[in-house]
Amino acid sequence: MLIGGEWIEAGGRSTFPTYDPATGKVLAELVEATPEDVDAAVRAATEAFGAWADLLPAARARLLLRVADLVEQHADELARLETTDQGQPLAISGGFSVPMVVNQFRYHAGWATKLTGITVDVSVPDVDYRTRREPLGVCGLITPWNFPLMLLSFKLAPALATGNTVVIKPAEQTSLTTIRLAELCLEAGIPAGVVNVVTGGGTVGKALVDHRGVAKISFTGSTEVGREIGAAAGRALKRVSLELGGKAPSVVAADADIDAAVAGNLMGGLLNSGQVCAAYTRFYVARPRAEEFVDKLAAGAGSQVLGHGLDSSTQLGPLVSAEQVSQVDRYVQIGRDEGATLVTGGSPADGDGFFYRPTVFTDVTDSMRIAREEIFGPVLSVIPYEDEDELDLVARANDTEYGLAAVIWSGDVKVANRLARRIRAGSVYINMPPLLDAAAAWGGVKASGLGRENGWDAIEAFTEVKSIWTAL
């Protein structure tokens, strides 16, 4: 743990293991933070806040750029550590996750010098009125286990750029790259206490959420936990951002390029072994193309090479834990029991580690649990639809508690954009897999969360507006 610039050893505290999910072997023992540790971290962040918020914006920007440079210099080390601790193939950690961290810090470093207020000609005589945008204070950043380093940067970079201090609680399954990034923040010259890290399970996160010294909680994780955090933040009247679960529909129109749709859906559905909140998981395919789509999707899924993420031939890494394997397998059995037809996969892979075979179901209906509930694994469900009934299609795509992402595959840009406007989701992609950018707002509607990350939305999420009135 990192508290006030000091690394905290276990001492008399409990510890917990973190595993290589590809082998099941223990990588390290980490400290389980106590409530007193959380309090100390919040106090350290509070003490550091004034000087950090008052630092010249250009100086803050230079420090964030230095962090970006250090991440880039240590990119291979960070990617290998992420792969070993989380399981994602090196092509993802090194080709997507770590570069996104670099981009996040460079992008938000630019915002540090561009925060502005406004002046308004108010209808009060002899008064000058203006606003200024100010940091919130101490922010609690609670991150998930699926993209631990990248999704931390979505929160950490804008929080620091806008003058906040932070206490980070990484997922207990995947804390190693968070600890390493905190080391790089200190090496970059970010002052002690500005970035703090407390490790452990749900009780540590709850202590952070409930702490009266925390002005904002930014959480990415399950909808179930997000609801609890949102309720607690509401009672305390503290700011909260929630990026939660999803059950993204993928609409494949009759005029779609099926080969492109299959390739894009395999990437969108099996990225990180399906452990993606925006994963394409329920495929509404125009009935005339459904059989062709299922055959090609199953062939592509069944040919995926499973293995350790450090092996360059690996296309699909492990699930994060044995518990996640059990959850995925339970949903596959539910799909069978409810009458869906298993086309390929449907079982854990043999050997060490937490692997699950990519699974494709057909003959799926909207009411089945595999079509409604977030599985967070490599399970793809194909649901045919009648191509001429567009309104019914939209209603079916929207018939979910989630609303994080959706995709439309069509050769008709008018139809695709018409559907995109009607589908209830925070992000809708047309003829492409679910990509992200530091400048593009990211977040969901309905049970997929509150607020947005990235772009100007992230700056607003970590600041508040103050009005200043001056008598003339």
Side-chain angles (χ1 to χ4, degrees):
M1 293 187 298
L2 176 64
I3 299 176
E6 300 294 329
W7 292 101
I8 310 300
E9 301 297 330
R13 301 172 181 82
S14 299
T15 62
F16 63 94
T18 185
Y19 298 92
D20 178 344
T23 65
K25 295 180 180 179
V26 174
L27 293 171
E29 290 283 337
L30 301 178
V31 180
E32 179 82 24
T34 65
E36 292 75 20
D37 293 324
V38 174
D39 182 63
V42 174
R43 284 189 283 107
T46 301
E47 291 169 5
F49 172 66
W52 179 249
D54 289 342
L55 193 66
L56 290 177
R60 274 205 310 275
R62 283 195 295 272
L63 288 171
L64 265 67
L65 290 171
R66 177 61 177 151
V67 173
D69 290 343
L70 287 172
V71 171
E72 195 167 55
Q73 290 170 24
H74 294 271
D76 183 64
E77 171 202 346
L78 286 165
R80 296 179 72 85
L81 185 60
E82 188 84 322
T83 290
T84 305
D85 196 27
Q86 195 278 331
Q88 58 192 251
L90 201 58
I92 299 173
S93 61
F96 177 60
S97 296
V98 174
M100 177 65 78
V101 175
V102 175
N103 291 341
Q104 286 284 343
F105 276 94
R106 287 181 176 155
Y107 174 84
H108 286 99
W111 274 116
T113 57
K114 298 171 185 65
L115 302 184
T116 61
I118 62 170
T119 60
V120 178
D121 189 12
V122 295
S123 298
V124 179
D126 302 322
V127 163
D128 174 79
Y129 172 82
R130 69 187 189 278
T131 67
R132 55 179 280 116
R133 190 168 287 278
E134 297 184 341
L136 301 174
V138 178
C139 297
L141 313 182
I142 303 177
T143 56
W145 48 255
N146 60 334
F147 286 96
L149 185 63
M150 183 184 79
L151 294 181
L152 171 58
S153 73
F154 283 22
K155 307 174 188 300
L156 182 59
L160 297 181
T162 49
N164 298 280
T165 55
V166 303
V167 178
I168 303 164
K169 208 297 283 186
E172 62 270 29
Q173 298 90 341
T174 55
S175 300
L176 298 185
T177 50
T178 295
I179 293 169
R180 183 66 180 117
L181 180 60
E183 290 177 339
L184 294 178
C185 286
L186 290 179
E187 184 178 339
I190 290 180
V194 172
V195 175
N196 305 273
V197 179
V198 291
T199 49
T203 57
V204 179
K206 186 176 187 305
L208 184 58
V209 170
D210 291 342
H211 200 290
R212 296 180 65 180
V214 174
K216 175 189 172 69
I217 293 292
S218 179
F219 170 78
T220 297
S222 72
T223 294
E224 180 184 6
V225 175
R227 285 192 171 108
E228 295 298 320
I229 291 174
R235 287 190 296 269
L237 297 179
K238 65 177 64 177
R239 300 289 190 90
V240 64
S241 298
L242 305 171
E243 200 268 271
L244 308 176
K247 193 69 176 176
S250 176
V251 175
V252 181
D255 66 348
D257 180 332
I258 290 295
D259 290 337
V262 167
N265 281 313
L266 285 171
M267 178 179 176
L270 298 181
L271 178 70
N272 202 17
S273 299
Q275 300 170 122
V276 180
C277 49
Y280 301 163
T281 57
R282 51 193 181 109
F283 303 97
Y284 290 95
V285 184
R287 191 170 296 279
R289 311 299 300 277
E291 183 176 352
E292 177 189 4
F293 180 84
V294 169
D295 290 345
K296 291 182 175 180
L297 186 73
S303 67
Q304 295 288 303
V305 177
L306 278 64
H308 199 295
L310 295 179
D311 186 332
S312 61
S313 66
T314 293
Q315 295 174 292
L316 215 63
L319 299 180
V320 76
S321 65
E323 292 79 8
Q324 196 64 20
V325 172
S326 295
Q327 173 170 304
V328 171
D329 199 46
R330 180 172 61 86
Y331 271 107
V332 168
Q333 186 57 51
I334 288 170
R336 288 192 178 110
D337 292 344
E338 290 186 329
T341 300
L342 179 66
V343 183
T344 190
S347 64
D350 297 330
D352 297 331
F354 312 133
F355 293 90
Y356 203 90
R357 300 182 191 282
T359 299
V360 175
F361 280 107
T362 189
D363 299 322
V364 178
T365 64
D366 293 322
S367 62
M368 291 181 180
R369 290 179 63 187
I370 59 171
R372 303 195 67 81
E373 299 177 17
E374 185 176 42
I375 300 173
F376 229 60
V379 180
L380 313 178
S381 300
V382 180
I383 310 169
Y385 75 92
E386 304 305 326
D387 186 47
E388 61 271 9
D389 195 345
E390 188 175 297
L391 291 178
D392 178 66
L393 171 62
V394 170
R396 294 173 69 185
N398 287 337
D399 184 22
T400 172
E401 67 171 331
Y402 298 108
L404 185 59
V407 62
I408 299 156
W409 304 88
S410 174
D412 188 329
V413 69
K414 291 183 180 179
V415 169
N417 277 276
R418 189 164 62 241
L419 291 171
R421 292 183 59 148
R422 291 174 175 169
I423 289 176
R424 292 277 293 149
S427 295
V428 180
Y429 299 88
I430 298 176
N431 296 328
M432 63 182 291
L435 301 181
L436 299 170
D437 189 85
W442 177 249
V445 299
K446 300 189 284 187
S448 289
L450 299 171
R452 295 291 182 270
E453 296 183 310
N454 297 341
W456 171 249
D457 297 84
I459 301 303
E460 286 189 315
F462 284 100
T463 57
E464 57 191 358
V465 174
K466 175 183 286 182
S467 294
I468 300 176
W469 300 69
T470 303
L472 300 178

